[in-house]
Amino acid sequence: MEEVKVILKNLDWSPLLISLKTGIAATVISFFLGIYTAYRVMKTSPGKKSVLDSLLTLPLVIPPTAAGFFLLLIFSKRRPLGIFLYDTFDIKVVQSWAGCVIAATVIAFPLMYRNARAAFEQIDINLIYAGRTLGMSETRIFWRIALPLAGPGIASGTMLTFARALGEYGATSMLAGNIPGKTGTVSQKIAMVIQDGDFLTAGIWVMIVVLIAFFILVLMNLAAGKKNRTVKRW
């Protein structure tokens, strides 16, 4: 116990801060992008919907290191996009915090998209028809009817997205590297201390991550429990 207290006293909290900042940034991006794409894809034809849904969900099923490899190819300073970003805006994605955010967003985005789409599809279609009958525009229907009714599902997706972004490791390691105080996240810290044989420090970091994940899941279940009903799909 005394050894644990000493480790906690001397613990470098920068990996947790970097992970939290990365998770928040990735969640904000995924939140708006996920809701928009879910609403748009849901209203497309079945064939087009199938293709788009597969593409948007792909990062969820492929290995994170494979996603990181593709991101590294896209944003490398030897590639057109990487050269453009660096020469025009002086933005360096590889081995930077921006790389952490991009990698976490790509990996966590499908969770936001899938939850938002499921929430929209459970809305009673009669409410949408009623809004149109009253002369409401599609934009107003989205903000006044669809979004509020899909709120619990979107809230659950948001929390899952944050939890996934917080624990992202594979794609982040490929794109952003493991630079202490800059791109070194909690997941990378755990892997590093295990490689050094410091299992006690690794265990402390694991417990911190588990507690955060448990807290997020409790919030998600509370949000989902507020509104659990069966309705028609639209």
Side-chain angles (χ1 to χ4, degrees), residues 31-199:
F31 177 82
F32 292 103
L33 193 60
I35 291 175
Y36 174 77
T37 54
Y39 194 73
R40 298 292 295 181
V41 169
M42 185 191 62
K43 299 172 71 174
T44 59
S45 61
K48 189 177 180 180
K49 182 188 298 184
S50 178
V51 174
L52 291 174
D53 188 70
S54 299
L55 289 174
L56 293 171
T57 311
L58 193 60
L60 189 65
V61 296
I62 64 174
T65 48
F69 174 75
F70 285 116
L71 291 174
L72 189 60
L73 290 180
I74 293 171
F75 291 103
S76 171
K77 288 197 293 184
R78 296 182 179 180
R79 303 294 175 178
L81 182 57
I83 294 173
F84 172 76
L85 291 175
Y86 186 74
D87 291 343
T88 306
F89 303 104
D90 196 24
I91 296 176
K92 180 184 177 184
V93 175
V94 179
Q95 294 186 338
S96 68
W97 182 70
C100 289
V101 175
I102 292 173
T105 301
V106 169
I107 297 301
F109 167 80
L111 290 173
M112 186 69 239
Y113 163 74
R114 299 290 298 186
N115 278 272
R117 181 182 162 188
F120 284 134
E121 289 179 338
Q122 290 177 0
I123 296 174
D124 190 347
I125 191 173
N126 293 320
L127 297 175
I128 305 300
Y129 289 156
R132 291 171 180 167
T133 301
L134 293 173
M136 297 175 65
S137 64
E138 291 298 319
T139 302
R140 193 176 181 189
I141 288 174
F142 172 78
W143 288 107
R144 299 294 297 273
I145 299 177
L147 194 59
L149 291 175
I154 291 175
S156 298
T158 302
M159 284 178 275
L160 281 175
T161 300
F162 176 73
R164 183 65 186 89
L166 185 70
E168 165 50 28
Y169 173 73
T172 302
S173 299
M174 293 286 290
L175 186 61
N178 184 13
I179 305 173
K182 186 178 180 182
T183 64
T185 61
V186 171
S187 299
Q188 293 170 329
K189 184 67 175 180
I190 292 172
M192 187 174 66
V193 295
I194 287 179
Q195 290 176 357
D196 295 336
D198 190 355
F199 291 94

Side-chain angles (χ1 to χ4, degrees), residues 175-227:
L175 186 61
N178 184 13
I179 305 173
K182 186 178 180 182
T183 64
T185 61
V186 171
S187 299
Q188 293 170 329
K189 184 67 175 180
I190 292 172
M192 187 174 66
V193 295
I194 287 179
Q195 290 176 357
D196 295 336
D198 190 355
F199 291 94
L200 183 57
T201 303
I204 292 173
W205 278 117
V206 168
M207 285 305 301
I208 291 172
V209 172
V210 168
L211 288 174
I212 294 174
F214 178 76
F215 179 71
I216 292 172
L217 290 174
V218 170
L219 289 178
M220 183 190 71
N221 289 329
L222 290 174
K226 288 182 178 179
K227 197 171 185 181

